[in-house]
Amino acid sequence: MKVKYATIVVEDMNESIKFYTEVMGFEIDSQHDPQPGATITLLKGEGDAMIELIENTEYGTGLFAVGMDVEDINTTVKELRSKGAKITMEPIPITVGTLAFLEDPNGVRIALIQHH
């Protein structure tokens, strides 16, 4: 399992993109509109992990989740559950693969992503 994303919910996508590109030095990797009212921008810097910005009025702004890349999401969820992890969302299909969520003991959301 490796860290793939730090997901941040933003209020203003354009303002956030400007900050992360012009101030922080990231580059836009890709942009997606997965559903009406939701926009996602992936930003890359050095290394493999990316910043994922989401503009969606359904969520409050701030750090939303840490995304982990996994090879086999069903096996990973089963193993984590057997070790006592709190799975908060079972695997579901998404645009780029399959997604599940769990929480750490502090309530931090961890997204597990199996890419196509």
Side-chain angles (χ1 to χ4, degrees):
M1 202 177 318
K2 68 177 183 176
V3 175
K4 182 72 175 174
Y5 306 106
T7 301
I8 302 168
V9 178
V10 300
E11 189 171 323
D12 183 320
M13 183 63 77
N14 292 329
E15 178 182 56
S16 297
I17 289 171
K18 184 176 180 178
F19 174 79
Y20 281 98
T21 57
E22 294 179 14
V23 176
M24 300 297 292
F26 285 81
E27 295 178 7
I28 294 175
D29 180 74
S30 59
Q31 295 182 296
H32 310 274
D33 296 310
Q35 63 188 31
T39 303
I40 297 173
T41 300
L42 295 173
L43 301 162
K44 62 182 176 180
E46 296 179 28
D48 293 335
M50 290 194 253
I51 299 285
E52 178 182 39
L53 303 177
I54 297 179
E55 184 179 274
N56 186 331
T57 56
E58 292 182 30
Y59 305 107
T61 59
L63 181 64
F64 180 75
V66 175
M68 305 284 184
D69 206 10
V70 299
E71 292 292 321
D72 182 335
I73 197 163
N74 293 314
T75 300
T76 302
V77 166
K78 185 177 179 179
E79 288 174 3
L80 292 170
R81 182 179 281 120
S82 74
K83 294 177 181 178
K86 179 181 177 184
I87 306 301
T88 58
M89 188 179 84
E90 295 295 325
I92 62 165
I94 59 171
T95 307
V96 297
T98 307
L99 171 71
F101 277 100
L102 66 136
E103 281 186 1
D104 82 354
N106 304 291
V108 175
R109 287 189 267 324
I110 299 171
L112 303 175
I113 308 142
Q114 178 183 330
H115 290 86
H116 294 296

